[in-house]
Amino acid sequence: MNPCARETGRPLDLEPPPAGLYVHVPFCAGKCAYCDFYSVPVSPEGIARWLRAVAAEASLHAGIFSGFDTCYLGGGTPSVLSVQELGTLLETLRGHGRLVPDAEITLEANPDDVTPDKLRRWRDLGINRVSLGVQSLEDGSLKLLGRRHNAGQAVRAMEAVRDAGFDSWSADLIFGLPGQTPGAWEGELERLLSFLPDHVSCYQLTLAPGTPLQRLLECGRLTMPGEEEERGLFLAASRRLEDHGYVHYEVSNFCKRLDSGESGNVRAAGTRVPEDLSRACRHNLKYWGRRPYLGVGPSAHSFQGNERWWNPRSLDRYCEALETGHPPEEGRETLTPEQERMEAVSLAFRTRGGIARHELLSFPGAGAPLARLLQEGLLEEAGDRVVPTRQGFLVADRLALPFL
């Protein structure tokens, strides 16, 4: 008998917990000025070819994962797919991917794609969570970002999603835009919160090489906020959202607290976060908790055990591999124990759940940096956990370095 089974009383053939499933929908009606995610123009032929390739890839991976309790349709712009195309995709994923019956199924959507009829039909397909790419409620900012919608469309989309009866819905906003003032930013937050989203993501604008906004910056036609201004905008968002009853559970993410008598969804996500969370994104919790996930589609990444692999950043190369019966894998890495430890600590300090104190102190020489970061107010102790403070979230990417 396996001694581990004897100690825990768990059967030897117990299946591992379900993984997360990410599907990269690479099609966009237009490229935003800041975006460096992989995308291609919409075409009926390209979508049909991609759907066949996704079915082939899902079939190849059918035996690797025991099933999936989250499914995230990201992109690109998944909402540009027709209802029929989305239905075909979800039928494929349920067949080959073995989505569990109560899986969280998230669809990223642009406001200009949203109509009450589409929302009703998305729900009929089993989509139970919508992530709405609002990005800004100022027409000037939306134009600068290269978004296809205007502020009025964003408002109508939020009203429609709010009233459509999804289990949960989220809205994205971007801060750190050229010329953005604290007052204007807090005004946008107040307007967005009036629609009572279950979840809010606030991302700082970053300009990747080769994007139109980066080129404007390089030639002096664009001025970005300074570091102190960006810090102020981040802290304003954190305070404002927490004042409205949201939990700042990850650097860029906020969700409503549990209502009295409501059961949360966090435990099913398989990662340690406080019990006052209700509408955290279960799929993204898998990334931060280093839980297994499968990425399907061009440029998608996958993770299981100590291995990570990824698909080509090309629709043609992705489809050609699957059309010739080959996995579309472009690269793979096996993490060393040191890399695994580094990744686990780094990701833990991005979340409000942090890391167990005894686990952190098991690292050689961890006592001194822990004491220093506690004194500096970047970390704090919450029961048996060491967790980042609001100020710590500002430097989350550096918090783990003293322990590695």
Side-chain angles (χ1 to χ4, degrees):
M1 184 177 185
N2 185 316
C4 293
R6 182 168 57 249
E7 290 175 9
T8 63
R10 297 171 69 182
L12 295 178
D13 60 351
L14 184 69
E15 284 193 349
L21 177 62
Y22 173 78
V23 181
H24 190 74
V25 184
F27 305 100
C28 272
K31 191 81 167 177
C32 296
Y34 59 93
C35 180
D36 69 337
F37 290 115
Y38 176 68
S39 65
V40 297
V42 176
S43 77
E45 299 80 9
I47 292 174
R49 188 185 185 198
W50 168 80
L51 282 170
R52 292 192 296 270
V54 165
E57 186 181 12
S59 179
L60 285 176
H61 291 298
I64 298 177
F65 295 87
S66 62
F68 303 96
D69 64 352
T70 68
C71 174
Y72 195 100
L73 309 181
T77 311
S79 57
V80 301
L81 298 180
S82 70
V83 173
Q84 292 75 19
E85 289 161 346
L86 277 171
T88 298
L89 173 62
L90 288 169
E91 184 178 357
T92 293
L93 298 177
R94 289 190 177 99
H96 294 302
R98 299 187 309 286
L99 292 177
V100 303
D102 61 345
E104 174 195 82
I105 302 178
T106 301
L107 175 76
E108 287 185 345
N110 277 2
D112 52 316
D113 291 326
V114 170
T115 67
D117 180 63
K118 275 189 179 179
L119 291 168
R120 177 183 59 77
R121 298 174 75 184
W122 289 346
R123 282 191 62 202
D124 290 344
L125 292 176
I127 294 165
N128 49 32
R129 186 175 184 275
V130 170
S131 180
L132 194 62
V134 175
Q135 314 311 1
S136 177
L137 288 169
E138 299 288 341
D139 283 334
S141 296
L142 291 169
K143 185 176 181 180
L144 173 71
L145 293 171
R147 301 295 292 177
R148 299 196 314 274
H149 67 275
N150 58 37
Q153 288 173 305
V155 166
R156 290 190 291 274
M158 286 192 288
E159 290 173 338
V161 174
R162 178 197 61 195
D163 298 338
F166 288 93
D167 291 353
S168 179
W169 72 279
S170 179
D172 292 358
L173 282 180
I174 294 177
F175 69 93
L177 280 66
Q180 188 175 45
T181 66
W185 172 232
E186 293 197 42
E188 283 192 70
L189 288 169
E190 285 294 333
R191 277 180 281 162
L192 182 138
L193 291 172
S194 70
F195 297 96
L196 305 176
D198 303 298
H199 186 282
V200 177
S201 297
C202 296
Y203 298 110
Q204 181 176 319
L205 178 63
T206 56
L207 303 184
T211 58
L213 286 184
Q214 175 64 22
R215 291 196 291 269
L216 288 176
L217 182 67
E218 290 171 350
C219 69
R221 297 172 57 191
L222 191 70
T223 302
M224 297 295 291
E227 186 174 331
E228 284 305 309
E229 292 173 288
E230 291 172 340
R231 286 169 56 91
L233 296 171
F234 174 89
L235 293 173
S238 179
R239 294 190 184 102
R240 180 72 55 155
L241 283 155
E242 290 201 335
D243 286 347
H244 280 265
Y246 290 77
V247 180
H248 193 173
Y249 76 97
E250 192 271 343
V251 171
S252 302
N253 290 278
F254 305 78
C255 68
K256 282 186 176 178
R257 295 181 184 275
L258 275 171
D259 297 325
S260 177
E262 183 181 8
S263 61
N265 60 18
V266 174
R267 194 173 296 278
T271 190
R272 175 63 182 266
V273 289
E275 291 297 325
D276 58 354
L277 298 183
S278 172
R279 297 179 179 89
C281 177
R282 285 168 48 189
H283 182 81
N284 286 343
L285 287 172
K286 292 185 183 293
Y287 299 145
W288 303 317
R290 299 189 75 249
R291 302 296 172 178
Y293 55 85
L294 172 65
V296 174
S299 81
H301 285 59
S302 302
F303 174 74
Q304 187 179 48
N306 65 345
E307 289 195 300
R308 182 174 287 109
W309 64 97
W310 53 92
N311 291 342
R313 192 180 166 95
S314 163
L315 179 61
D316 283 337
R317 293 207 311 274
Y318 170 77
C319 291
E320 285 167 3
L322 289 157
E323 287 162 357
T324 56
H326 296 94
E329 183 178 310
E330 184 170 75
R332 178 179 290 257
E333 64 177 341
T334 300
L335 302 177
T336 66
E338 180 69 17
Q339 288 173 320
E340 289 191 273
R341 187 185 77 169
M342 181 186 308
E343 193 172 87
V345 179
S346 298
L347 290 170
F349 282 148
R350 289 190 62 86
T351 72
R352 188 168 175 258
I355 188 170
R357 189 175 189 277
H358 70 85
E359 185 178 346
L360 190 61
L361 291 176
S362 70
F363 302 152
L370 174 58
R372 176 173 59 81
L373 292 170
L374 288 170
Q375 184 173 7
E376 292 175 357
L378 300 178
L379 295 176
E380 61 184 358
E381 293 182 310
D384 63 348
R385 314 285 296 179
V386 177
V387 303
T389 63
R390 182 183 285 126
Q391 293 289 336
F393 271 156
L394 278 166
V395 292
D397 291 340
R398 303 200 299 270
L399 280 179
L401 295 180
F403 302 99
L404 304 176

